[in-house]
Amino acid sequence: MKHLIILLFLVITLYPLTAQDVEIGPRPQEPTEPYPYFSEDVKFQNKEAKITLSGTLTLPNGQTDFPIVVLISGSSAHNRNQEVAGHKPFLVIADYLTSNGIGVLRYDDRGVGQSEGEYEVAAYAEIASDVESAVAYLKSRKDVNSNKIGLIGHSGGGLIAPLVASRRKDISFIVMMAAPAISGYELILLQTETLNKAKGISADITEAELVFYESIFSAVIESSDLEETRSDLSASLKAQPESLPDEVKAEDVDKILEIFTAAWFQNFLQYDPSVALEQVDCPVLAINGAKDLQIPGEENLGAIKSALDKGGNDMVTIKKMPKLNHLFQEADTGLPDEYSTIEQTFSPLALEEIEAWIKLQTEE
């Protein structure tokens, strides 16, 4: 059952590996003080949610007319550095961009670090309102150019960036890094096949998992009473143990259904990213690693391009970068098991690509 649960979390998010799970090696890209730029811990209000969010603002020294971005973490609650597998990718991104003339605001998600609120019960629209509050905070500062504010979202954060950009016209550009662009339902089925194939898991086992997922997810998507659906599914699956994948025992069913029938998970299954993408009219950079097994680039980059084309947005750059995994590390297999063992936190080539594209969009 552990395989199924880990697979589920990999689909939705960056799997939140802890120090007990990973082998922590050197992280040479992490900056140390003193920084060659201005850095300030800040707080800002989400007045709609009545919560205070905390983060770090970094601004280039000696400049006044620079672009600035808000970093949006992947699904599930992360701190301002988006710590995962012993890495701090948002710290590395913020350091690189600010050192090269682009300001950055990164913040603790709801309920993490010094931020208030509860992430687990928040819908996508509520997470988007946190980003909008970050944008409003930047616009309140005299040392920020309000006409050059953009968003960078990674993984699940790549769903939120276009949602925010579709709701307001003061977003200058968005960068979608390894962003899903198909429904959660489609994504889980696709990722199950992709990861299982990379792990050498047989086609028969994969098929059994797909049938198992489909039987549950179809009911959850249509449900108007998730508690009743959970009870009905539990009774049905326990009565038909032959319908369970080999590694799932009947006594595991309730534990699995507790996740699959949660309100946030129903939202994930139902959400169609193309709706927001079709309404985005600012420049978009969408990048994926060619070895990304969590959000496969072929299908998701294609879906991003199709949705933006449908909405009439021709300011679109699509890049699939060789050798890079879901975290934009140079990888051998792309499997999540590698994340913690790779010394590199974030590919310098990907950082250069993002920097150059942002400057191209915001130059006078």
Side-chain angles (χ1 to χ4, degrees):
M1 190 192 77
K2 182 180 178 183
H3 165 68
L4 283 176
I5 295 297
I6 290 178
L7 179 62
L8 167 65
F9 279 105
L10 286 172
V11 172
I12 314 166
T13 181
L14 299 173
Y15 180 52
L17 298 171
T18 65
Q20 289 77 21
D21 298 313
V22 302
E23 172 190 336
I24 303 297
R27 304 297 186 230
Q29 288 177 290
E30 290 184 11
T32 55
E33 297 187 64
Y35 304 129
Y37 46 78
F38 173 80
S39 180
E40 178 186 4
D41 289 338
V42 300
K43 293 183 181 293
F44 54 93
Q45 305 292 318
N46 181 330
K47 295 179 181 178
E48 179 184 334
K50 299 180 180 179
I51 58 174
T52 298
L53 299 166
S54 300
T56 299
L57 177 68
T58 53
L59 304 176
N61 280 334
Q63 299 183 44
T64 57
D65 187 28
F66 48 83
I68 189 165
V69 299
V70 177
L71 298 186
I72 311 169
S73 71
S75 307
S76 92
H78 292 89
N79 65 20
R80 66 193 69 187
N81 294 324
Q82 195 183 240
E83 290 191 48
V84 61
H87 289 278
K88 300 176 181 178
F90 276 15
L91 172 62
V92 170
I93 293 170
D95 175 71
Y96 177 86
L97 292 180
T98 312
S99 297
N100 286 278
I102 299 171
V104 177
L105 174 59
R106 64 192 199 274
Y107 61 92
D108 299 329
D109 288 334
R110 295 181 178 211
V112 177
Q114 300 176 50
S115 288
E116 299 173 347
E118 293 182 75
Y119 188 97
E120 290 74 13
V121 299
Y124 288 142
E126 294 171 292
I127 301 302
S129 75
D130 292 344
V131 179
E132 292 185 274
S133 299
V135 171
Y137 170 74
L138 290 179
K139 295 181 73 170
S140 74
R141 293 186 63 110
K142 295 181 180 179
D143 50 0
V144 168
N145 186 337
S146 295
N147 296 318
K148 293 185 178 182
I149 298 175
L151 309 175
I152 299 180
H154 178 247
S155 194
L159 287 177
I160 303 301
L163 178 56
V164 173
S166 73
R167 292 175 7 167
R168 52 192 306 151
K169 300 305 177 185
D170 55 358
I171 303 300
S172 296
F173 57 89
I174 63 173
V175 178
M176 301 172 66
M177 305 190 304
I182 57 180
S183 72
Y185 178 84
E186 295 172 285
L187 182 60
I188 289 184
L189 301 183
L190 172 63
Q191 192 185 69
T192 300
E193 294 182 272
T194 302
L195 281 168
N196 282 9
K197 183 177 181 180
K199 290 181 176 182
I201 294 173
S202 74
D204 288 345
I205 290 176
T206 298
E207 182 60 28
E209 288 183 10
L210 292 174
V211 171
F212 177 67
Y213 285 145
E214 290 171 341
S215 66
I216 296 175
F217 298 160
S218 297
V220 171
I221 287 172
E222 300 297 329
S223 176
S224 58
D225 186 331
L226 288 171
E227 288 191 15
E228 182 179 335
T229 299
R230 182 184 308 168
S231 177
D232 290 346
L233 284 170
S234 176
S236 175
L237 291 171
K238 288 177 181 178
Q240 303 175 67
E242 71 279 359
S243 68
L244 302 176
D246 291 342
E247 62 176 0
V248 178
K249 300 177 182 178
E251 55 264 32
D252 296 328
V253 166
D254 288 335
K255 187 182 297 184
I256 293 171
L257 289 177
E258 185 177 350
I259 298 171
F260 287 173
T261 59
W264 64 266
F265 188 73
Q266 183 187 52
N267 187 32
F268 167 74
L269 290 174
Q270 294 173 328
Y271 186 75
D272 180 1
S274 68
V275 176
L277 281 164
E278 289 173 17
Q279 300 174 57
V280 173
D281 57 11
C282 65
V284 177
L285 169 63
I287 60 174
N288 258 76
K291 292 189 175 182
D292 188 340
L293 301 178
Q294 289 187 228
I295 311 292
E298 196 70 35
E299 294 81 0
N300 287 281
L301 289 176
I304 290 171
K305 182 68 163 57
S306 295
L308 291 168
D309 284 349
K310 186 176 180 180
N313 188 342
D314 59 2
M315 298 177 290
V316 181
T317 303
I318 304 289
K319 293 274 186 177
K320 187 160 72 168
M321 305 195 70
K323 301 180 181 179
L324 302 188
N325 64 15
H326 185 64
L327 298 190
F328 290 88
Q329 301 166 304
E330 294 171 30
D332 291 328
T333 68
L335 286 166
D337 293 347
E338 287 184 324
Y339 295 167
S340 65
T341 62
I342 297 173
E343 187 177 90
Q344 184 182 80
T345 294
F346 202 95
S347 162
L349 291 177
L351 290 170
E352 291 170 9
E353 184 75 40
I354 293 167
E355 174 209 351
W357 183 85
I358 290 174
K359 288 181 175 177
L360 184 62
Q361 308 314 308
T362 55
E363 63 186 12
E364 298 297 339

